[in-house]
């Protein structure tokens, strides 16, 4: 048997597609002694989180809370609650996470109508219009910030088309949340999920979600039981709301302490300042990477500030350099997914990792290596 020593991981600089670096105040909050998950003091923590999640999502939705599991569970929460077998769902696919949405919708027994675009390009509203007209859609689901390609998907026109068709709009805001403009109420979003570990810079494992009244009406009119016990909103909702606060599952208390502090940091900085910081550091990184011969995958108008998808200059061994960055410089950047494996890097500037020092550290290391 091997001897298992005390945990002693390296001090990494996280510049991949998430998790991102975490503020010391958040780490400190996580080491707060536990309270019971039904302790009145913890219920107050849940109320704080709910209020700050509403503020950061720009929504008044009373059904706004945090799923005790990562972003993919938030994705599944939205779809398993809103879809029943036989429903039709328009799923937009412009990368890995759209593909995952379609997979989950099919597992719900829905008939999936796919709207696709070439990876690295946004979804075209004209294609959405055709797909919505071709069926009786219960919902349309789309990824706002496609972390696999670096595309920022404009939502307002697609929201209008979705509303006109009578369908609900479901949005993946895992990577966009707290890093770029996002307005749940103003943009008519009916169900939205995010993640804790990207631009919010909390540890991974939690998924903020929100549901509009129209989405709750659909849930209330279900003919079948939600097939997932854990993610069934009709029950989770009683844990997060109302006077009774009934036991549903044991909340991850320490992770919620961390989430609360991350949200406080976001609101202290101010959302607009935070968006500006992400954009400015993206521009700094862009200029530096372009000088070194990297090319952006996505055209300027649709580029994400927090996820920089860049093509590797010819003649460079992407995997060897990525390993060297990690082993010699403690810097993590992400490789490509799916068709982009081995072809692109995904450099994250998310939350606490979106700083001038992060940009300079990466550029300095790359200059030394290349
Ligand atoms: C990271 C991510 C997810 C999945 O979140 P996990 O926390 O890894 O489950 C979903 N959608 C997008 C766009 C993401 O970037």
């Amino acid at each position: 048997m091997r001897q298992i020593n005390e945990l002693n991981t390296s001090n990494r600089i996280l510049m991949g597609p998430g998790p991102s670096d975490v503020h010391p105040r958040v780490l400190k909050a996580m080491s707060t002694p536990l309270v019971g998950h039904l302790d009145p003091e913890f219920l107050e923590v849940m109320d704080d989180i709910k209020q700050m999640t509403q503020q950061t999502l720009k929504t008044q939705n009373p059904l706004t809370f945090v799923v005790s599991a990562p972003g993919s569970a938030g994705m599944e929460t939205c779809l398993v609650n809103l879809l029943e077998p036989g429903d039709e769902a328009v799923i937009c696919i412009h990368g890995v996470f759209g593909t995952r949405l379609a997979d989950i919708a099919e597992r719900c027994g829905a008939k999936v109508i796919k709207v696709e675009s070439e990876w690295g390009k946004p979804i075209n509203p004209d294609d959405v219009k055709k797909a919505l007209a071709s069926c009786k859609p219960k919902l349309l689901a789309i990824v706002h910030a496609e972390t696999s390609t670096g595309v920022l998907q404009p939502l307002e026109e697609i929201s209008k088309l979705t509303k006109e068709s009578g369908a609900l709009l479901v949005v993946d805001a895992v990577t966009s949340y707290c890093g770029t403009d996002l307005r749940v109420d103003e943009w008519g979003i009916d169900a939205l999920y995010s993640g804790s570990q990207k631009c919010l810079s909390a540890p991974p494992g939690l998924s903020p979600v929100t549901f509009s009244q129209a989405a709750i009406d659909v849930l209330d009119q279900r003919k079948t039981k939600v097939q997932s016990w854990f993610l069934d909103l009709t029950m989770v909702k009683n844990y997060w709301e109302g006077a009774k606060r009934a036991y549903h599952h044991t909340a991850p208390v320490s992770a919620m302490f961390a989430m609360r502090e991350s949200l406080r940091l976001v609101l202290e900085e101010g959302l607009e300042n935070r968006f500006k910081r992400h954009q400015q550091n993206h521009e700094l990184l862009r200029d530096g990477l372009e000088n070194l011969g990297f090319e952006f995958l996505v055209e300027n108008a649709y580029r994400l500030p927090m996820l920089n998808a860049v093509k590797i200059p010819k003649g460079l061994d992407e995997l060897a350099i990525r390993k060297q960055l990690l082993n010699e410089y403690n810097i993590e950047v992400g490789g490509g997914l799916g068709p982009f494996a081995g072809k692109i890097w995904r450099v994250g500037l998310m939350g606490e990792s979106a700083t001038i020092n992060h940009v300079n550290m990466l550029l300095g290391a790359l200059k030394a290596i290349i």
Side-chain angles (χ1 to χ4, degrees):
M1 287 252 239
R2 283 181 308 118
Q3 163 88 27
I4 313 285
N5 296 317
E6 188 180 359
L7 189 63
N8 184 24
T9 55
S10 302
N11 237 333
R12 304 291 200 209
I13 315 280
L14 298 177
M15 300 184 72
S20 51
D21 283 342
V22 173
H23 195 283
R25 264 170 57 188
V26 174
L27 296 176
K28 183 165 160 249
M30 255 207 305
S31 65
T32 304
L34 294 189
V35 295
H37 74 115
L38 290 173
D39 187 310
E41 289 184 9
F42 188 69
L43 299 182
E44 233 174 83
V45 167
M46 291 169 79
D47 288 340
D48 295 344
I49 290 174
K50 176 175 169 173
Q51 180 189 312
M52 290 190 286
T53 305
Q54 287 169 322
Q55 275 175 277
T56 45
L57 284 171
K58 298 191 174 151
T59 182
Q60 311 269 340
N61 289 340
L63 190 53
T64 300
F65 66 98
V66 175
V67 177
S68 300
S72 305
M75 184 187 286
E76 198 139 359
T77 300
C78 289
L79 295 185
V80 295
N81 282 282
L82 299 177
L83 289 175
E84 291 185 74
D87 284 342
E88 295 185 305
V90 175
I91 309 288
C92 299
I93 303 179
H94 57 113
V96 166
F97 294 102
T99 310
R100 189 174 295 181
L101 275 167
D103 188 2
I104 296 174
E106 274 164 6
R107 286 163 193 248
C108 294
K111 181 177 172 240
V112 170
I113 296 94
K114 293 180 181 167
V115 180
E116 299 187 64
S117 77
E118 192 189 324
W119 287 26
K121 296 206 161 63
I123 296 286
N124 182 340
D126 292 338
D127 297 337
V128 168
K129 199 172 182 176
K130 275 182 226 142
L132 288 168
S134 75
C135 59
K136 277 208 179 67
K138 183 95 162 276
L139 60 82
L140 175 139
I142 190 162
V143 178
H144 186 210
E146 214 353 306
T147 321
S148 62
T149 64
V151 167
L152 177 63
Q153 173 70 49
L155 290 177
E156 283 170 274
E157 194 176 347
I158 288 174
S159 169
K160 196 164 146 272
L161 295 168
T162 306
K163 292 284 122 98
E164 283 165 8
S165 78
L168 298 173
L169 177 63
V170 177
V171 170
D172 175 321
V174 175
T175 284
S176 54
Y177 177 52
C178 292
T180 194
D181 198 18
L182 174 64
R183 308 172 192 200
V184 168
D185 290 356
E186 203 180 312
W187 293 352
I189 298 169
D190 292 297
L192 175 143
Y193 58 93
S194 186
S196 49
Q197 77 276 29
K198 311 230 173 166
C199 296
L200 180 59
S201 274
L206 291 176
S207 175
V209 294
T210 189
F211 294 86
S212 72
Q213 187 55 50
I216 296 169
D217 292 345
V218 164
L219 180 67
D220 288 343
Q221 285 154 22
R222 283 184 71 103
K223 293 184 203 73
T224 57
K225 258 189 177 180
V226 175
Q227 64 268 40
S228 161
W229 180 88
F230 186 64
L231 302 175
D232 184 345
L233 279 181
T234 50
M235 294 191 290
V236 181
K237 151 167 132 191
N238 296 330
Y239 184 36
W240 277 86
E241 282 189 326
K244 288 200 301 284
R245 308 292 283 246
Y247 165 70
H248 178 259
H249 65 277
T250 309
V253 172
S254 307
M256 299 281 262
F257 287 165
M259 175 96 181
R260 181 179 180 281
E261 197 58 22
S262 300
L263 285 162
R264 269 167 41 80
L265 283 162
V266 171
L267 292 170
E268 264 174 38
E269 179 177 16
L271 281 172
E272 303 310 317
N273 291 337
R274 197 174 179 89
F275 301 159
K276 208 193 290 166
R277 173 165 61 83
H278 279 84
Q279 183 62 28
Q280 283 169 344
N281 285 299
H282 154 71
E283 287 169 17
L284 198 65
L285 179 71
R286 174 201 61 200
D287 293 349
L289 285 178
E290 284 180 347
N291 278 336
L292 290 169
F294 290 84
E295 260 178 67
F296 273 76
L297 177 74
V298 179
E299 79 173 273
N300 196 21
Y302 301 108
R303 253 176 229 168
L304 288 174
M306 70 288 284
L307 194 286
N308 298 267
V310 287
K311 297 182 211 163
I312 317 299
K314 279 213 171 57
L316 295 186
D317 181 342
E318 79 87 12
L319 187 61
I321 299 178
R322 208 143 47 82
K323 278 189 179 156
Q324 205 176 346
L325 280 173
L326 189 69
N327 296 333
E328 289 174 25
Y329 295 87
N330 266 327
I331 299 175
E332 178 185 86
V333 299
L337 291 179
F340 293 131
K343 300 206 175 78
I344 65 165
W345 277 356
R346 293 178 303 141
V347 182
L349 292 173
M350 299 180 174
E352 293 301 316
S353 296
T355 75
I356 192 167
N357 286 334
H358 282 78
V359 171
N360 287 337
M361 271 189 280
L362 176 62
L363 291 175
L366 280 175
K367 275 179 201 151
I369 293 171
I370 302 172

